[in-house]
């Protein structure tokens, strides 16, 4: 079965702190894609990153970085030097068998 | 970049009435569109997949007679919530896949917040 687990329901940090959002996935298939989306209060999903199952190279984009480890079925997301504008709900998703499977989301509160 | 719009962005209707939500791909042709439902503080759940010119495929547990989906053109899919009840209040999000793109390349709309009173 396909499943995405985001164990952290809500995280609160103070601005400039680093924060890591955890994502663990389950799938039987060897070919799949992993995504992270940001959902601000407005509700619109904002695409952040996509990785395919054959590319375990970590990625950095500005203050954002992602750590993909197939050995632990994890695809964690780190925000360095967090800002108030990072406050949102973040979803990790698995794309497999022509469907998206979303995690339950982690609400990030960044306080000034 | 590919843009998907939804209309209306929010709607309030009375219990027992029907409401239609539109999903449009603005700058690409979408042979396949997807409808998701998101309850407050919960994840997105796929409701159905619609292919242009054919019947929608509904996920298990979704009432196809209650959630009518029509995908009459390559740029428009509609979701009609029939005889809406307060428990249908939710955030409805559509996504669309570009005709020539990979299956995983879906673009999400901004969502429609439905409140049934």
């Amino acid at each position: 079965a396909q499943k995405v687990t985001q164990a952290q329901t809500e995280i609160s940090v103070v601005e400039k702190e680093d924060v890591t959002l955890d994502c663990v996935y389950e799938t039987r298939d060897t070919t799949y894609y992993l995504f992270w989306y940001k959902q601000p209060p407005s509700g619109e999903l904002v695409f952040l990153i996509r990785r395919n199952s054959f590319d375990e190279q970590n990625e950095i984009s500005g203050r954002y970085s992602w750590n993909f480890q197939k050995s632990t079925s994890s695809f964690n997301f780190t925000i360095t030097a967090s800002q108030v504008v990072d406050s949102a709900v973040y979803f990790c998703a698995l794309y497999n068998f022509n469907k998206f499977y979303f995690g339950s989301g982690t609400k990030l509160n960044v306080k000034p | 970049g590919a843009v998907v719009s939804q209309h209306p962005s929010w709607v309030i209707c009375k219990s027992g009435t029907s409401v239609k939500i539109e999903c449009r791909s603005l700058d690409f042709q979408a042979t396949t569109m997807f409808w998701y439902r998101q309850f407050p503080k919960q994840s997105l759940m796929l409701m159905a997949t619609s292919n242009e010119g054919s019947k929608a495929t509904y996920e298990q547990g979704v009432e196809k007679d209650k959630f009518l989906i029509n995908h009459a053109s390559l740029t428009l899919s509609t979701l009609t919530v029939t005889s809406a009840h307060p428990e249908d209040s939710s955030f409805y999000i559509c996504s669309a896949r570009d005709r020539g793109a990979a299956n995983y390349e879906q673009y999400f709309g901004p969502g429609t917040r439905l409140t049934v009173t």
Side-chain angles (χ1 to χ4, degrees), chain B residues 1-73:
Chain B
V3 178
V4 175
S5 70
Q6 284 185 239
H7 178 80
S9 55
W10 60 270
V11 58
I12 301 173
C13 70
K14 291 187 176 181
S15 188
T17 62
S18 296
V19 60
K20 180 184 287 187
I21 302 170
E22 294 184 347
C23 176
R24 292 182 185 273
S25 57
L26 298 186
D27 50 3
F28 65 97
Q29 293 184 327
T31 50
T32 306
M33 290 184 171
F34 306 84
W35 287 95
Y36 296 83
R37 179 168 55 185
Q38 184 182 25
F39 290 110
K41 298 185 179 182
Q42 293 189 29
S43 186
L44 283 76
M45 300 299 296
L46 180 64
M47 299 175 66
T49 301
S50 74
N51 292 295
E52 187 264 338
S54 63
K55 289 184 179 180
T57 302
Y58 291 82
E59 294 299 301
Q60 192 172 10
V62 178
E63 299 175 60
K64 61 181 180 181
D65 294 330
K66 180 169 186 61
F67 298 100
L68 300 179
I69 292 173
N70 183 276
H71 192 162
S73 78

Side-chain angles (χ1 to χ4, degrees), chain B residues 75-95:
Chain B
T75 59
L76 173 66
S77 176
T78 60
L79 168 67
T80 301
V81 183
T82 62
S83 186
H85 291 285
E87 56 265 30
D88 298 323
S89 298
S90 187
F91 192 56
Y92 292 87
I93 302 174
C94 73
S95 71

